[in-house]
Amino acid sequence: MKPTVAPFPAARLRRTRVSPAIRGLVRENTLTTDDLIWPVFVRDGEGIEEPVASMPGVVRRSVDKIAEAAFEAQALGIPAICLFPYTDASLKTEDCAEAWNPDNLCNRAIRAIKAVAPDIAVMTDVALDPYNINGHDGYVVDGEILNDETVEALVKMTLAQAEAGADIIGPSDMMDGRIGAMRTALEAKGHRNVSILSYSAKYASGYYGPFRDAVGASGALQGDKKTYQMDPGNSDEAMRLIERDLQEGADMVMIKPGIAYLDICYRVKSTFGAPTFAYQVSGEYAMIQAAAQNGWIDGEKVMLESLMAFKRAGCDGILTYFAPETARILNG
Ligand code: PBG
């Protein structure tokens, strides 16, 4: 649709910017607390909130503190929390068995949240990297990341999370065929209402650096993730991945990272019309916080502006470490 504009001075586009009231009336997109998914890091211990150095304002929480955070999220009107475990090095193995341990950190945190804040939707991350001795999302044999064997492990991990009470499964591994395998297994075990939010278009990105510190995977990672995560030069490939995942049964899809890939968000939403999410990742968060701490930008303004950009690009929601701060502002 091409907007029609009368010749000047019949049209003065500044007229609709003249006051807050009129700007509010004509605003095309809005950001609300309903749009937010809050990623949180969980660690072992009790009563612990440990700062993540490369992500100012973000902490790793012990399970009891995760429950408190969920309670806070509920009070703030944040609909969903996404869990990422910081797994002790002693639990990382080549077979990644901790990933489907019903009592691993993530699964304990799911149950703790459900006990205090049952209205919060709990999302999980499905990939082997927190449990893998070499930091990769899949099994590594002779330097190769094995696809089908990894998918089998991811299915076990998915079922353990669904058993623990997860509402949304978030496969971030980028293996082929995982969505179909997970959906089939969830249906077979009666988890019909557990959704899959697929990290469908996930790029091999430099923006994940602070996250890998947060989950303790930076030291472990050997090499890079380019044989499974996407090449930043590609856009059509993202469309094929999204279509493939939707056909395999993904309920919602994600583009990751966020701001540098808004063209993909826009293309995905306008082509498929499916529930579309973006992940404003750790590096994006760290960049805004670092500049704000130096007094180079107004952090609050840039935070809200960056989140609005996702809405404008067509996203239905955003995973963002800014979720609680944003909710506090939106709630006045
Ligand atoms: C791991 C995973 C990563 C992120 C989410 N899940 C890192 C990676 O792929 O190396 C990144 C999130 C962020 O940077 O905030 N499968």
Side-chain angles (χ1 to χ4, degrees):
M1 181 185 62
K2 198 167 171 286
T4 309
V5 185
F8 178 83
R12 287 181 186 272
L13 291 175
R14 289 185 59 194
R15 276 187 211 118
T16 51
R17 289 179 224 138
V18 79
S19 68
I22 294 181
R23 288 197 295 274
L25 283 173
V26 302
R27 186 166 302 122
E28 298 167 42
N29 296 284
T30 45
L31 178 69
T32 76
T33 53
D34 279 342
D35 302 320
L36 304 171
I37 299 180
W38 182 17
V40 296
F41 298 110
V42 52
R43 52 154 295 155
D44 59 8
E46 229 192 289
I48 300 174
E49 286 183 327
E50 170 188 44
V52 176
S54 50
M55 300 176 73
V58 170
V59 295
R60 299 185 192 102
R61 295 173 167 85
S62 51
V63 171
D64 55 319
K65 291 287 178 182
I66 288 282
E68 275 178 31
F71 199 69
E72 184 194 341
Q74 194 167 258
L76 286 169
I78 297 171
I81 276 188
C82 183
L83 291 167
F84 293 97
Y86 172 88
T87 305
D88 193 80
S90 67
L91 294 170
K92 299 186 188 202
T93 57
E94 242 165 70
D95 70 355
C96 309
E98 182 65 9
W100 52 91
N101 173 358
D103 285 317
N104 70 18
L105 265 180
C106 174
N107 294 332
R108 275 189 279 140
I110 295 170
R111 289 193 291 265
I113 294 173
K114 286 290 163 189
V116 298
D119 295 342
I120 294 281
V122 181
M123 176 172 167
T124 57
D125 187 72
V126 176
L128 297 180
D129 55 331
Y131 313 99
N132 202 342
I133 198 147
N134 50 52
H136 275 288
D137 293 16
Y139 285 135
V140 188
V141 172
D142 298 330
E144 190 193 335
I145 315 295
L146 300 182
N147 192 85
D148 302 13
E149 293 77 357
T150 299
V151 170
E152 278 175 36
L154 297 175
V155 165
K156 288 192 263 182
M157 186 175 177
T158 298
L159 289 176
Q161 292 171 347
E163 260 344 291
D167 301 286
I168 306 170
I169 303 295
S172 70
D173 54 284
M174 290 293 281
M175 298 298 125
D176 288 317
R178 83 248 209 245
I179 302 301
M182 287 172 186
R183 190 69 262 165
T184 303
L186 287 168
E187 293 295 315
K189 298 282 182 191
H191 299 295
R192 294 185 190 133
N193 292 326
V194 173
S195 301
I196 298 176
L197 198 179
S198 179
Y199 288 61
S200 301
K202 178 175 178 180
Y203 288 83
S205 171
Y207 286 97
Y208 308 148
F211 173 95
R212 290 180 192 165
D213 287 342
V215 298
S218 345
L221 184 63
Q222 292 159 15
D224 57 49
K225 299 192 173 184
K226 291 182 186 169
T227 70
Y228 46 108
Q229 298 181 350
M230 279 182 71
D231 184 331
N234 293 353
S235 172
D236 288 344
E237 187 189 3
M239 304 299 280
R240 295 170 68 209
L241 286 163
I242 300 269
E243 183 169 24
R244 191 267 317 260
D245 284 3
L246 288 170
Q247 281 173 352
E248 286 185 26
D251 303 282
M252 307 174 248
V253 292
M254 192 204 295
I255 293 95
K256 178 184 174 191
I259 286 285
Y261 296 86
L262 282 184
D263 57 322
I264 309 295
C265 297
Y266 184 75
R267 232 184 129 182
V268 165
K269 187 62 183 185
S270 27
T271 305
F272 300 105
T276 302
F277 291 77
Y279 197 145
Q280 183 179 50
V281 299
S282 57
E284 301 177 59
Y285 174 86
M287 282 161 45
I288 294 174
Q289 291 294 68
Q293 284 188 348
N294 277 293
W296 297 334
I297 58 170
D298 178 334
E300 192 176 302
K301 229 171 150 175
V302 173
M303 169 184 86
L304 293 172
E305 187 176 329
S306 65
L307 294 172
M308 182 63 92
F310 293 111
K311 296 293 301 196
R312 205 182 55 238
C315 293
D316 296 286
I318 309 114
L319 284 92
T320 175
Y321 302 97
F322 286 122
E325 204 183 329
T326 301
R328 269 188 283 275
I329 293 168
L330 294 177
N331 292 333

